[in-house]
Amino acid sequence: MSSILRFVVCLFVLAFALPANAQDGATEGKSPHITARLIAESATVAPNGDITLALDYTPAPGWHTYWINPGDTGLPPKFKWNLPDGVTTSDAQFPAPELLPAFGLMSYGFTGRTVLLIPAHNGSSLSAGDTLPIKAHVDFLVCADVCIPESLDVSLDLKVGAPKPGSEAGVIDKARKALPQAVSAAATIDLRNGQIELGFPMADVTAQGAYFFSAQGGMTSAPAPQALDMGAKGFTLRTKAAGTALPEGDLSGVLKLADGTAYAINLNRAPLDPSVHGLGAASQATTKVSLSGILIAIAGAFIGGLILNLMPCVFPVLSMKLLSLARSGHDKGLAQQEALFYGAGTIITFVSLALILMAARAFGQSIGWGFQLQSPYVTAGLSLVMLLVALNMSGVFEIGSSLQAVGGIQVSSKRPRLSALLTGVLAVVVAAPCTAPFMATAIGVALAQGGLVSFAVFVSLGIGFALPFVVLTFLITLVPGFARVLPRPGKWMDGLKHALSLLMYAACLWLVWVFAQQVQLGGVILLGFALLLVVLAVTKISLPKFVKPVVLIGGLVLCGIAASPPAPDRWSSDQGEAEAKENPLTAFSLQKLSEARAAGKPVLVDMTAAWCVTCKVNEARVLHTKEIASAMRETGTIYMVGDWTNQDAEISRYLTLFGRSGVPLYVYYGPNNAEPVVLPQLLKTADVVKVIRGK
């Protein structure tokens, strides 16, 4: 071996023999279950200057150490310093601790490598170039199945001089970033009936999974769960008190969130502010879920898609499906292909809507499921499409194959597969905004998790929505008994077309009504003129050849202009539109709800929208009836309505508290801070009365 090669090998061996990140003048300390070292961010410290030291230690696998407040059991590390005269250190700064449950007890501590920061000041009389020895004796209580007190000694020699970054600066910088963040707004603490109430005015924090570690013992019961309650401008944690009174002196602690973010909290002794409680806990859908939870969400989406076919929201597109089924037995191959293309259209549209929604949220837009019908441009355009389809089904006019495909209902269409695909698209755009049972929670999980989870959930939702139509089509085409039930093609199909066109006319009127809730009166009048112009352009009325295209284009342009006026204030007063109904209502706001809850009043929250057919059915059959009005009057229940016809960031935030991204949502809050009760999406009068009366 040449001398150069031997030299390289020696350097290689030495590099691996030396401890990583070793600092000059530092000695490593060891006890049976802990290895530690004392490090500094710089190898030098200025005369009368400050420097950050750190105790970098790691317990043996399976063992742990403790935080400032160890919880039910344990002891924090204790330092005995041996320092030159004039050198001082401050209390160690700890990262946020972990929960350490054992045998029904709860401790606070650390299971892996831990770095404690120690601010120090060099007030010694040493001169530049002198050595500044730093020594510490550290006592630990290290535990696994048993607890053992252990001690070790660490030391570090620093030079007096101009400071410059040392080899351990990166370790200390990382530890500094791991410290709990300071917050400007002080939290509050109150002891009521043996319960600690902690109020955090932190509206921008995702509070799901939050836990408060009290720095002082004797404040909270460590094993007791901490219940989350959201408010308009923050949140509250409630837990069992450790004693009959709060500890003396300043109170503080660390608030740790589910994502690991931690905040250093100072507490003021004061009752809860109404703005930090009253709305209930945030949904689990806002946090990462297990594989089983994801599978449940996918299954829920599939079941929700099946049920969506029975919801009132689907009625406007029912005619398209019925006419397709009516002819399924007479061209079996084509019918099967159309069914599959219809299914593909529903799946593609569900996934596309989800992608648009997630992209909008990523750019800070507070929108939710059903956002497409929150746009007056979309509702105006859909009303035009529904009118054209209805007129065509009625035989008022004939159109080319490209426009026939929009409705998906022409037997003679030259593009039946495209027609079926677009039928699926139109069905989802119109029907999907109303969420069916199981569907709401699944969508909440999908939008919260994103990525492949979201894709799988929305594909499952599309499959569930399309499956009944696809299965019926294949049964009719493959099972002779089903095909024989259907009559032979003939004039009856034209009669069926004309009858089913009534559903499309109804859908057009419904969309115009929705549009009227989104714009001022002038916009509604303009839309009426626009629809009239389009009708004149496509019907068989005798007009000069060049006039009809101009009239058609004018109608389309006017349709867009009609959607431009600003939205009206649908609930301009607390009574609003409900004065003519059985129940007086209060317009929803997070602040009003928090204040009502703080006053101990019961509240029924109704999240609705003009385009949500299910919402309107529930209102007509249940919520706006004498039975519900009587129950509310007798119990003093406030009926609070949130109108999501147009985009509303406050309502969007409230929906996310319950893992929802769409309406309807009905939540009942009992008196005296009772836990909120989420009601079914399809209401029954007797069930709602029972909840309100508390029976």
Side-chain angles (χ1 to χ4, degrees):
M1 183 182 295
S2 68
S3 58
I4 295 177
L5 181 59
R6 282 195 296 271
F7 178 74
V8 171
V9 170
C10 289
L11 287 179
F12 184 84
V13 172
L14 284 173
F16 279 88
L18 291 173
N21 294 324
Q23 191 165 30
D24 292 342
T27 59
E28 187 177 75
K30 288 186 177 181
S31 67
H33 298 98
I34 294 179
T35 301
R37 61 197 185 112
L38 187 64
I39 60 176
E41 63 182 338
S42 171
T44 56
V45 56
N48 202 36
D50 296 322
I51 190 170
T52 299
L53 308 175
L55 181 69
D56 180 1
Y57 70 91
T58 304
W63 294 76
H64 60 262
T65 58
Y66 293 95
W67 187 54
I68 304 168
N69 172 16
D72 284 334
T73 61
L75 292 170
K78 292 185 177 180
F79 292 82
K80 295 180 181 178
W81 293 97
N82 184 358
L83 305 170
D85 291 341
V87 177
T88 58
T89 59
S90 301
D91 293 338
Q93 299 173 351
F94 287 71
E98 308 167 36
L99 291 172
L100 304 172
F103 309 110
L105 303 176
M106 183 67 72
S107 298
Y108 306 149
F110 309 98
T111 56
R113 181 183 180 185
T114 307
V115 180
L116 308 182
L117 298 184
I118 305 147
H121 177 73
N122 175 25
S124 69
S125 58
L126 297 175
S127 302
D130 291 342
T131 299
L132 188 73
I134 307 291
K135 298 179 180 179
H137 177 82
V138 189
D139 295 321
F140 291 94
L141 183 65
V142 57
C143 299
D145 295 331
V146 297
C147 289
I148 301 174
E150 296 184 357
S151 300
L152 53 81
D153 294 299
V154 289
S155 64
L156 174 67
D157 289 338
L158 300 176
K159 291 290 185 180
V160 178
K164 55 184 178 180
S167 59
E168 305 292 350
V171 175
I172 290 181
D173 184 60
K174 183 178 179 181
R176 187 177 286 117
K177 292 178 180 177
L179 293 177
Q181 304 173 28
V183 293
S184 56
T188 61
I189 183 170
D190 194 22
L191 177 59
R192 296 169 59 89
N193 302 320
Q195 189 176 56
I196 293 289
E197 294 184 335
L198 299 159
F200 302 94
M202 304 166 68
D204 297 332
V205 167
T206 302
Q208 178 61 45
Y211 189 94
F212 182 75
F213 296 87
S214 58
Q216 293 77 31
M219 186 188 306
T220 61
S221 174
Q226 297 187 1
L228 175 66
D229 186 5
M230 302 297 297
K233 298 180 180 178
F235 59 94
T236 292
L237 290 175
R238 292 186 177 91
T239 189
K240 183 180 179 182
T244 57
L246 293 174
E248 298 292 331
D250 295 337
L251 301 178
S252 61
V254 169
L255 176 69
K256 190 174 182 180
L257 307 181
D259 63 0
T261 305
Y263 298 90
I265 302 294
N266 293 316
L267 297 170
N268 293 331
R269 291 173 171 83
L272 287 177
D273 187 276
S275 65
V276 297
H277 71 105
L279 305 183
S283 169
Q284 292 291 341
T286 58
T287 61
K288 291 294 182 183
V289 295
S290 63
L291 177 61
S292 61
I294 293 172
L295 294 177
I296 291 172
I298 293 173
F302 176 76
I303 297 171
L306 291 174
I307 298 174
L308 187 60
N309 286 275
L310 305 176
M311 302 291 283
C313 306
V314 182
F315 292 167
V317 292
L318 187 61
S319 59
M320 302 178 190
K321 296 184 179 183
L322 289 177
L323 197 58
S324 297
L325 286 173
R327 67 172 188 268
S328 295
H330 311 297
D331 190 341
K332 297 181 180 180
L334 180 60
Q336 292 172 4
Q337 293 177 34
E338 286 188 52
L340 294 175
F341 272 86
Y342 167 80
T346 63
I347 294 172
I348 291 170
T349 309
F350 271 119
V351 174
S352 298
L353 289 174
L355 291 175
I356 294 171
L357 178 54
M358 287 188 290
R361 288 186 168 188
F363 285 98
Q365 298 297 313
S366 296
I367 63 174
W369 192 246
F371 67 92
Q372 66 271 27
L373 290 186
Q374 290 179 324
S375 167
Y377 293 97
V378 174
T379 52
L382 285 175
S383 67
L384 177 60
V385 170
M386 293 297 182
L387 178 61
L388 288 172
V389 172
L391 291 171
N392 184 235
M393 293 174 70
S394 301
V396 174
F397 72 102
E398 296 295 333
I399 50 179
S401 60
S402 59
L403 190 53
Q404 290 170 7
V406 175
I409 43 76
Q410 288 296 319
V411 178
S412 61
S413 173
K414 296 180 181 179
R415 299 179 181 178
R417 297 167 188 82
L418 177 61
S419 174
L421 181 75
L422 294 179
T423 300
V425 172
L426 189 59
V428 174
V429 170
V430 175
C434 287
T435 51
F438 298 98
M439 177 178 163
T441 303
I443 289 177
V445 171
L447 295 178
Q449 304 304 311
L452 292 177
V453 174
S454 180
F455 179 79
V457 168
F458 282 102
V459 167
S460 181
L461 181 58
I463 292 173
F465 184 61
L467 191 63
F469 175 72
V470 175
V471 169
L472 280 174
T473 301
F474 274 80
L475 284 175
I476 291 171
T477 55
L478 296 178
V479 180
F482 278 92
R484 283 195 295 267
V485 172
L486 297 177
R488 295 181 178 277
K491 291 185 176 181
W492 71 269
M493 296 190 74
D494 290 331
L496 177 62
K497 246 196 325 181
H498 294 160
L500 293 178
S501 69
L502 297 176
L503 285 173
M504 303 310 295
Y505 284 119
C508 176
L509 290 175
W510 166 62
L511 286 164
V512 170
W513 177 79
V514 172
F515 181 81
Q517 317 305 308
Q518 298 175 317
V519 300
Q520 304 288 356
L521 178 60
V524 181
I525 295 173
L526 287 176
L527 178 62
F529 278 117
L531 295 179
L532 179 60
L533 289 176
V534 172
V535 170
L536 291 175
V538 299
T539 55
K540 300 174 182 178
I541 296 175
S542 179
L543 290 173
K545 188 174 182 180
F546 71 90
V547 172
K548 283 198 172 186
V550 174
V551 173
L552 178 61
I553 294 173
L556 296 175
V557 172
L558 197 60
C559 187
I561 296 174
S564 301
D569 184 3
R570 295 194 65 219
W571 309 111
S572 57
S573 70
D574 280 356
Q575 300 303 318
E577 151 182 317
E579 287 185 344
K581 298 184 174 66
E582 295 291 341
N583 301 337
L585 62 84
T586 298
F588 174 84
S589 80
L590 293 173
Q591 187 64 31
K592 288 179 182 177
L593 178 55
S594 294
E595 290 172 354
R597 291 278 284 160
K601 297 178 181 179
V603 182
L604 176 62
V605 174
D606 172 7
M607 288 296 166
T608 183
W611 39 260
C612 174
V613 180
T614 305
C615 304
K616 297 305 160 186
V617 171
N618 283 332
E619 290 166 13
R621 293 180 59 252
V622 179
L623 295 173
H624 296 166
T625 60
K626 293 181 179 180
E627 294 86 346
I628 299 297
S630 176
M632 288 188 180
R633 282 195 302 269
E634 293 175 11
T635 58
T637 300
I638 298 172
Y639 181 39
M640 191 171 287
V641 177
D643 180 16
W644 209 40
T645 301
N646 297 313
Q647 291 184 19
D648 188 307
E650 195 169 51
I651 292 177
S652 297
R653 182 194 167 203
Y654 182 78
L655 292 171
T656 61
L657 295 181
F658 296 90
R660 300 291 181 84
S661 60
V663 291
L665 173 65
Y666 307 105
V667 184
Y668 175 73
Y669 296 90
N672 301 320
N673 272 324
E675 288 294 318
V677 177
V678 179
L679 304 180
Q681 289 174 291
L682 294 177
L683 299 177
K684 295 181 180 179
T685 302
D687 293 340
V688 178
V689 169
K690 184 177 180 181
V691 170
I692 293 174
R693 295 187 185 278
K695 296 180 180 179

